[in-house]
Amino acid sequence: MKTCPSCNRTYTDPSLSFCLEDGTPLVAEAAPALDPNATIRYIDPRDTISPPAEVHRQPTPSVNQVASAARQQWSPAPAAGAPRKKSGAMWWVLGGAAVIGVIGIGLVIMILTLSSMRSNSNGNSNRNVNVANSNSRNSNRNANANTSNVNADVNLPSSFTDDFSETKWGAGNYPYGDIWYADSEYHMRSKDKTYLVMYAPSNDYNTGNATVKVTARSVDGAAPASGYGLIVHGEKSKDGELEDYALLIYNGTEPQYEVIKHKAGAQSTVVPWTKSSVIRSGINPNQLEVRAKGAELSFYINGQYVDRITDNENFKGGVAGLYTSDTPEVAFDDLEIKR
């Protein structure tokens, strides 16, 4: 005999292993010990003549059936909201949705591709416009440069020198002083209480956007009272008047420099006399330098920067020139122009 430990049901069928009610494994009961003194009841002999009684017994479930029953009995109830088993119609719906999704993705990709192509086209157009504007600006700058240097020769060499070994500049006796060549130098001497200017003989000496240098010295060490020096952008007006800028030095006991301007023949001060220790006094030569870049003029003496001005008169088409004042004799040498 077997007993279910959960519901205490008993089963006499030895082939059963699980409770038919709850699927719990059955436990076999131990056979009672025989009492030798107990009264033994004998069963009456079976009547073989009468038909046997018909016993109705539930079919014995197989092990698989018992296990399946146990699983169904003890499986937890579905959690709330758990998905139900999809029917065949649901698969059709999902398939249709997938097809629509694929078509939608394809449309989005096509739209993005077309948009990218339009964007690239617009970007190229903008760049072309920008390039056109850049070229336009360059053209304007070139036009302005050509306008300001109306006398400039586009074929000018990148560098030009004149050591005054050949007679090229004007020489002779003039109402305001004397000019002559001697010992491969260009000599100038002005009249008392006045000044003397000489421009270069040709446009090869053009100073627009160029660095101009010349060496100047007082022959006997005397310092011209109103200075002497280098002219840039020298050009005569329509009326034949001087127009230029000049860097002048005074080589006396307290060396100084000055920047002047000629316009319509009138001389005016741009930078007043300024003391400078870079100027050599007496007979010692001084190298004067003007760097012209656009409207900016920078001034150097013996390789040292001293000052800077802006050419507000637009004197950019002129040539180099030389200047002296009063009676002391001054000599110039080694003129150099680099563009």
Side-chain angles (χ1 to χ4, degrees), residues 231-294:
I231 291 174
V232 294
H233 300 348
E235 187 174 30
K236 288 189 176 182
S237 68
K238 294 179 180 180
D239 298 329
E241 301 292 347
L242 300 177
E243 292 188 328
D244 57 57
Y245 291 97
L247 170 61
L248 308 180
I249 61 172
Y250 171 76
N251 63 316
T253 55
E254 292 185 352
Q256 303 175 53
Y257 71 87
E258 179 187 33
V259 177
I260 63 170
K261 174 179 69 175
H262 292 115
K263 183 176 182 182
Q267 178 172 307
S268 61
T269 299
V270 181
V271 177
W273 286 108
T274 304
K275 294 181 181 180
S276 176
S277 61
V278 301
I279 300 173
R280 299 163 184 156
S281 60
I283 62 173
N284 297 303
N286 289 277
Q287 185 185 63
L288 308 182
E289 177 181 351
V290 181
R291 299 180 184 179
K293 186 176 182 180

Side-chain angles (χ1 to χ4, degrees), residues 157-199:
S158 59
S159 63
F160 181 82
T161 59
D162 188 349
D163 61 2
F164 298 103
S165 61
E166 298 180 11
T167 302
K168 298 179 182 179
W169 295 56
N173 299 319
Y174 300 94
Y176 295 98
D178 304 319
I179 303 175
W180 69 98
Y181 278 84
D183 301 324
S184 296
E185 292 179 316
Y186 193 64
H187 292 250
M188 300 177 67
R189 181 172 53 226
S190 177
K191 300 292 185 179
D192 188 29
K193 297 181 180 179
T194 188
Y195 62 85
L196 182 62
V197 168
M198 178 58 72
Y199 287 165

Side-chain angles (χ1 to χ4, degrees), residues 57-72:
R57 184 176 299 164
Q58 185 174 0
T60 302
S62 66
V63 175
N64 291 334
Q65 289 175 328
V66 173
S68 176
R71 286 195 296 271
Q72 293 176 2

